Amino acid sequence: MTTFSSVTVLGAGVLGTQIALQTARHGIPVVVYDISDDAVAAGRERLAGIVEQYLGDVGQDARQDADAAVARIAFETDLAHAVADADLVVEAVPERLATKREVYARLAEVAPEHTVFATNSSTLLPSAIADATGRPDRFLALHFANHVWRQNTAEVMGTEQTDPAVADRVASFAEEIGMVPIRLHKEQPGYVLNALLVPFLDAAAGLVLRGVADPETVDTTWRIGTGAPVGPFQIYDIVGLRTAHAIASASPDPGARAWAEHLRTEYLDQGKYGMESGEGFYRYR
């Protein structure tokens, strides 16, 4: 028996499909919701690619288990149907506060009374969303890092209104699906991981915007100087440039907004989204 016997993931993006696969690999049925047939079709294709990434890491001997996990994942475009049996909903929609609040307002109307809500937001505080959920005592943040089977932290961050027993249940669920629960004692923008990572990436972006060095030089310097396996712009490609753009666009800082515009004009407008599209700062085809 697991803490939650049925899970719904809102959003068939990179992290949404990874969370679904990680959950289904541990025997839990998952429904992935997205807003349209096109979004669901893209999500199915994305899931297939993520399975291959996973097998590339763990080996082809795991293919049968991966195929069994995929069989436990259903896709849905009707929100009420998607959450009808959900014990836990993990939201992984685009990183915009208005979008998330709108999704939770709709979700609150159709989800069962017992369902726990968790946001995978990378930067937003759950207290900025809690009142829209209709159940602030059963709402918190559960943040997964990219490549969840490898970078397997799951940061659990509640608000002052979150029932501690709910936070305990969510932490137990994270452990059951192979994650390492990271419990935060109070709200912190970016949790632990992104509170460290975002300033690092911002510093790299500033070097490029000011014309100090190109992305390849920055990455090479960081890898040689620290022994790290990847540099900041390789991390940007892993995270996804659409996510990076959304975060930078939401910032009041002029430097962040300049970076968002640079990402839009030089990369997003050309369909370069990072590893998910096969090209970002680097090519992956």
Side-chain angles (χ1 to χ4, degrees):
M1 291 291 291
T2 55
T3 302
F4 299 108
S5 59
S6 179
V7 173
T8 296
V9 176
L10 304 186
V14 173
L15 267 171
T17 48
Q18 286 187 28
I19 294 165
L21 179 64
Q22 183 73 7
T23 302
R25 282 182 48 238
H26 289 81
I28 302 170
V30 182
V31 178
V32 178
Y33 164 83
D34 218 313
I35 58 174
S36 69
D37 290 338
D38 287 345
V40 162
R44 290 184 187 277
E45 183 176 349
R46 191 172 293 116
L47 177 62
I50 286 167
V51 167
E52 296 308 317
Q53 290 178 29
Y54 167 70
L55 293 174
D57 281 348
V58 305
Q60 292 296 322
D61 288 347
R63 182 170 292 278
Q64 185 173 353
D65 288 343
D67 289 344
V70 170
R72 295 187 190 101
I73 300 172
F75 286 81
E76 180 62 72
T77 58
D78 184 297
L79 183 61
H81 288 167
V83 302
D85 299 316
D87 296 318
L88 172 68
V89 172
V90 180
E91 168 266 309
V93 304
E95 192 75 352
R96 292 186 289 272
L97 179 58
T99 300
K100 290 182 184 289
R101 287 181 58 86
E102 179 185 350
V103 167
Y104 278 107
R106 293 171 53 213
L107 181 61
E109 295 179 353
V110 296
E113 185 68 21
H114 73 275
T115 307
V116 172
F117 296 167
T119 179
N120 184 55
S121 173
S122 300
T123 58
L124 300 171
L125 293 177
S127 58
I129 305 170
D131 63 302
T133 69
R135 58 191 74 191
D137 60 322
R138 279 159 288 144
F139 170 70
L140 76 176
L142 176 62
H143 180 248
F144 295 81
N146 197 29
H147 292 133
V148 300
W149 58 88
R150 189 195 316 151
Q151 274 78 257
N152 63 326
T153 58
E155 296 175 287
V156 180
M157 183 171 73
T159 73
E160 291 184 352
Q161 296 174 282
T162 304
D163 183 342
V166 169
D168 289 344
R169 290 178 67 202
V170 171
S172 295
F173 162 75
E175 193 165 13
E176 288 163 0
I177 64 168
M179 311 303 291
V180 177
I182 308 297
R183 298 291 296 268
L184 276 71
H185 303 304
K186 61 190 298 185
E187 283 191 294
Q188 163 65 40
Y191 312 79
V192 174
L193 178 61
N194 283 331
L196 297 169
L197 179 62
V198 170
F200 168 63
L201 296 180
D202 286 347
L207 291 171
V208 169
L209 285 179
R210 294 193 301 273
V212 175
D214 57 49
E216 293 84 354
T217 299
V218 174
D219 282 354
T220 300
T221 304
W222 183 257
R223 292 196 305 268
I224 294 173
T226 67
V230 294
F233 293 97
Q234 291 170 288
I235 294 173
Y236 268 121
D237 277 353
I238 292 168
V239 170
L241 302 192
R242 288 189 287 193
T243 297
H245 177 266
I247 293 170
S249 297
S251 172
D253 178 67
R257 291 184 175 275
W259 181 239
E261 181 64 12
H262 178 79
L263 289 175
R264 183 185 67 79
T265 57
E266 300 299 319
Y267 297 93
L268 301 187
D269 286 352
Q270 280 75 50
K272 300 176 182 179
Y273 305 140
M275 289 186 72
E276 66 170 299
S277 67
E279 185 173 2
F281 291 102
Y282 299 89
R283 292 181 64 89
Y284 301 93
R285 299 189 178 102

